[in-house]
């Protein structure tokens, strides 16, 4: 419960490492300035600080122009707006007839079918009464009649005579429609901003509309059809033959901010249908319509197959207006870009591109390695090696035989070293003169009880694998035979001084043997390990442990043995964990 409450009353923040470096500092500011510049340019370019609304619009068109043309079988005809606009108009489009096949004076009757795709016959047997298909012009009567001097076809009941021409005339009969003009009226609204506008701008008066040309005024709402088709990348005379579809795009990109107010239409043109007419199965655009009249009480019709160009007007666009919320959202979304600076500089330091010294220094300061405490990592120092070995504790193999997981250089504890040299000054303590002779040799004949893993000949057998550690890697003299071992680890006056230093007011004559023994372990660790790597437990060789125990024994002969502790610290080792 108290744990949960404590959690509520806490705030964690990140610890940062500051590198004092002119080069890295200026690099950081250069990168940040570049990112800021980039963000500002993008913001102004895309107007990310604005709220947007899509256009709603209506379009009406009016085509004007008159052309005189010769129609085969009809003669000279003047076409005006009603003739060439075709019978119907879609909502946002208009149609202009550019080519036509006329079949005059059709009446209900019987006549020979058009000889299309081998629809020929020899006798009445080839024709079935009542038969028709989707390409027939009428219903067969069952007789085979002459179509012309050479060919015979089945007779049909139909509007006669049947339209015979299948391909549109070349050049197009109404190619003069190129010079027709169209007035496009486009009203738009942006509902979110309640903003209304027309493509016929307030300053455009009648005189302007009469004289304006798209060629020199891109805002002119009157277009010559030839210009429209040319801007769509086509030739009017070619397109007029079979017809087609042209898109007229009106784009409104409005900025409704007062400072940069702008809301004008932009016109562009594209061809929307298949251009390669010789590769397409049903090219162009055509439809049929008829005009009916009554001659002498009998109904007649004139059939028109009209080819033409349909113009689809498409309006799209958006308007933007400054919005504080959008600005905040945009700023928020760009903050992550600044992390690129950190990523780049961290990468630069991490690679060898930059000074490796700085990199080492930086990563040591930045990264704290914490090991899972359950996996107990032991630290081992051999007298015949300069490095410290880190080994994983094993319950089966002796510590001496386990392969190291990593090797670290030894970090000297200089403070400890200095203190020791002070304490070793002549005149301090009593047993200065009891130095053992230098060059003390190891026992050439190992004791019979020497375990197999021992290389120095001084270790004692142990049933615990974590205690099976020698002071050496290879055969040779034991570290306990060094005169320094006596002075640094075993010297009573030195140990008393250390204990006294820790507890200045504790009476020296009451110092317990156990305290001296534990202090001796601490001395050995400081001497041989310096600062051991974090979260590791220094392991003292068996020969040293037994030598210290021999000097400062427990009267009942019981020792707790080596127990790696959960929260290792130098204090723990010197405070009697061993
Ligand atoms: Zn040994
Ligand atoms: Zn030894």
């Amino acid at each position: 419960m108290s744990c949960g409450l404590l959690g509520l009353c806490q705030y964690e923040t990140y610890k940062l490492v500051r590198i004092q470096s002119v080069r890295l500092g200026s690099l950081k500011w250069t990168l940040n300035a570049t990112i800021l510049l980039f963000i500002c340019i993008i913001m102004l370019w895309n107007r990310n600080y604005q709220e947007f609304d899509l256009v709603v619009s209506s379009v009406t068109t009016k085509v004007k122009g008159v052309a005189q043309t010769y129609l085969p079988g009809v003669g000279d005809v003047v076409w005006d707006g009603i003739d060439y606009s075709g019978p119907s108009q879609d909502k946002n489009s208009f149609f202009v007839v550019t080519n036509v096949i006329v079949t005059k004076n059709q009446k209900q009757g019987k006549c020979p079918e058009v000889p299309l795709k081998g629809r020929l016959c020899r006798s009445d047997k080839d024709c079935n009464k009542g038969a028709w298909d989707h390409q027939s012009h009428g219903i067969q009567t069952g007789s085979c009649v002459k179509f012309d001097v050479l060919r015979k076809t089945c007779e049909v009941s139909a509007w006669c005579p049947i339209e015979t021409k299948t391909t549109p005339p070349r050049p197009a009969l109404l190619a003069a429609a190129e010079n027709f003009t169209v007035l496009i009226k486009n009203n738009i609204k942006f509902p979110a901003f309640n903003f209304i506008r027309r493509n016929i701008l307030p300053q455009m008066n009648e005189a302007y509309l009469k004289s304006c040309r798209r060629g020199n005024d891109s805002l002119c709402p009157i277009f010559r059809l030839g210009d429209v088709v040319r801007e769509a990348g086509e030739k009017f005379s070619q397109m007029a033959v079979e017809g087609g579809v042209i898109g007229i795009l009106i784009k409104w990109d409005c900025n409704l901010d007062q400072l940069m107010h702008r809301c004008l239409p932009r016109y562009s043109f594209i061809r929307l249908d298949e251009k390669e007419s010789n590769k397409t199965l049903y090219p162009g655009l055509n439809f049929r319509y008829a005009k009916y009249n009554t001659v002498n009480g009998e109904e007649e019709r004139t059939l028109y197959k009209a080819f033409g160009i349909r113009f689809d007007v498409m309006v799209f666009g958006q308007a933007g207006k400054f919005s504080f919320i959008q600005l905040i959202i945009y700023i928020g979304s760009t903050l992550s870009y600044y992390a690129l600076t950190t990523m780049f500089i961290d990468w630069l330091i991490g690679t060898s591109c930059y000074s490796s010294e700085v990199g080492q220094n930086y990563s040591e300061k930045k990264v704290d390695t914490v090991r899972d405490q359950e996996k107990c990592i032991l630290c081992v120092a051999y007298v015949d090696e300069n490095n410290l070995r880190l080994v994983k504790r094993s319950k089966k193999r002796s510590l001496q035989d386990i392969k190291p997981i990593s090797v670290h250089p030894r970090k000297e504890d200089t403070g400890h070293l200095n203190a020791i040299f002070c304490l070793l000054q002549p005149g301090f303590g009593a047993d200065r003169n009891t130095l053992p002779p230098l060059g003390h040799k190891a026992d050439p004949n190992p004791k019979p009880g020497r375990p197999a893993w021992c290389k120095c000949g001084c270790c004692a057998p142990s049933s615990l694998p974590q205690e099976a550690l020698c002071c050496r890697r290879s055969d040779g003299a034991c570290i306990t035979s060094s005169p320094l071992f006596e002075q640094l680890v075993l010297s009573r006056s030195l140990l008393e001084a250390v204990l006294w230093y820790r507890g200045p007011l504790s009476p020296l004559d009451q110092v317990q043997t156990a305290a001296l023994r534990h202090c001796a372990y601490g001395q050995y660790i400081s001497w041989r390990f310096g600062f051991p790597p974090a979260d590791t437990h220094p392991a003292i060789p068996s020969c040293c442990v037994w030598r210290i125990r021999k000097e400062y024994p427990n009267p009942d002969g019981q020792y707790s043995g080596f127990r790696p502790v959960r929260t290792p610290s130098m204090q723990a080792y010197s405070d009697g964990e061993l």
Side-chain angles (χ1 to χ4, degrees), residues 454-459 470-472 476-480 541-544:
C454 176
K455 307 287 178 187
C456 69
C458 301
C459 297
C470 186
C471 63
R472 303 189 59 94
C478 181
I479 190 167
T480 56
S542 171
C543 46
C544 303

Side-chain angles (χ1 to χ4, degrees), residues 6 42 85 185 208 309 340 356 359 435 481 500 548 563:
L6 273 178
I42 295 291
S85 291
K185 288 189 277 184
Y208 168 87
I309 303 172
L340 291 174
S356 61
L435 285 179
S481 65
W500 205 11
I548 292 168
R563 286 184 282 110

Side-chain angles (χ1 to χ4, degrees), residues 222-425:
I222 298 175
F223 305 89
R224 190 176 154 270
L225 297 187
D227 294 344
V228 170
V229 175
R230 196 189 64 241
E231 280 195 45
E234 300 294 326
K235 247 184 130 174
F236 194 91
S237 56
Q238 275 176 15
M239 207 174 162
V241 174
E242 284 176 323
V245 184
I246 294 276
I248 299 177
L249 313 179
I250 306 179
K251 187 177 182 189
W252 294 84
D253 187 12
C254 294
N255 190 342
L256 301 186
D257 286 339
Q258 286 197 333
L259 268 178
M260 302 163 80
H261 192 281
R262 181 176 53 80
C263 196
L264 295 172
R266 236 184 31 238
Y267 304 95
S268 57
F269 312 96
I270 53 166
R271 182 163 186 178
L272 295 176
D273 66 324
E274 180 62 56
K275 184 179 173 180
E276 306 285 327
S277 67
N278 49 348
K279 289 182 191 163
T280 319
L281 202 52
Y282 298 111
L285 173 64
N286 64 71
F287 58 88
R288 289 185 180 82
Y289 66 96
K291 291 172 185 168
Y292 297 86
N293 54 336
T294 313
V295 179
N296 303 330
E298 204 177 351
E299 194 179 31
E300 283 186 11
R301 73 172 190 188
T302 304
L303 178 68
Y304 295 85
K305 184 178 184 183
F307 299 83
I309 303 172
R310 198 180 77 211
F311 295 88
D312 290 350
V313 185
M314 288 171 274
V315 185
F316 56 100
Q318 59 178 14
K321 204 169 189 179
F322 176 80
S323 157
F324 191 67
I325 292 173
Q326 290 297 324
L327 181 66
I328 296 284
I329 291 172
Y330 177 70
I331 291 174
S333 69
T334 56
L335 289 181
S336 53
Y337 292 127
Y338 291 101
L340 291 174
T341 306
T342 316
M343 273 172 64
F344 177 72
I345 296 181
D346 278 8
W347 171 81
L348 193 71
I349 294 171
T351 57
S352 50
C353 302
Y354 203 69
S355 153
S356 61
E357 206 175 303
V358 173
Q360 175 75 21
N361 201 357
Y362 172 68
S363 64
E364 263 174 35
K365 287 280 195 297
K366 187 176 159 73
V367 181
D368 280 342
T369 310
V370 179
R371 282 206 181 81
D372 188 349
Q373 292 291 331
E374 294 300 322
K375 287 178 193 163
C376 180
I377 305 294
L378 301 180
C379 185
V380 173
Y382 292 112
V383 70
D384 47 352
E385 267 187 0
N386 270 331
N387 292 327
L388 300 178
R389 294 172 172 230
L390 297 191
V391 293
K392 253 190 206 155
R393 184 181 168 183
S394 161
K395 291 218 165 85
K396 288 172 193 158
R397 304 182 68 186
S398 67
L399 194 51
Q400 181 86 12
D401 299 332
I402 300 172
K403 285 225 169 76
I405 49 175
S406 62
V407 174
H408 286 247
R410 213 175 68 154
K411 256 197 219 163
E412 206 66 67
D413 181 353
T414 47
H416 178 261
L417 205 61
N418 287 340
I420 296 302
F421 280 138
C422 286
L423 290 172
L424 285 177
Q425 289 302 309

Side-chain angles (χ1 to χ4, degrees), residues 505-523:
L505 295 178
S506 57
L508 264 186
D509 51 342
Q510 283 174 22
V511 172
Q512 289 178 349
T513 322
L516 286 169
R517 185 169 68 244
H518 296 141
C519 188
Y521 293 142
Q523 285 300 308

Side-chain angles (χ1 to χ4, degrees), residues 507-576:
L508 264 186
D509 51 342
Q510 283 174 22
V511 172
Q512 289 178 349
T513 322
L516 286 169
R517 185 169 68 244
H518 296 141
C519 188
Y521 293 142
Q523 285 300 308
Y524 179 81
I525 288 168
S526 297
W527 174 34
R528 294 305 305 156
F529 291 86
F531 288 115
D535 295 327
T536 59
H537 310 273
I540 304 177
S542 171
C543 46
C544 303
V545 170
W546 284 107
R547 180 71 190 85
I548 292 168
R549 284 177 183 172
K550 191 176 148 200
E551 195 77 19
Y552 303 104
N554 199 357
D556 58 7
Q558 293 293 310
Y559 302 97
S560 56
F562 179 41
R563 286 184 282 110
V565 281
R566 280 195 160 261
T567 49
S569 68
M570 288 315 294
Q571 194 62 31
Y573 292 108
S574 34
D575 279 357

Side-chain angles (χ1 to χ4, degrees), residues 110-111 113 119 121 124-133 136-143 153-158:
K110 289 176 183 173
C111 49
E113 178 65 283
R119 289 166 165 265
C121 62
D124 290 353
K125 275 189 243 165
D126 296 335
C127 300
N128 300 320
K129 193 178 177 193
W132 68 277
D133 61 35
S136 320
H137 290 91
I139 294 169
Q140 292 186 10
T141 59
S143 39
T153 58
C154 291
E155 190 187 51
V156 289
S157 298

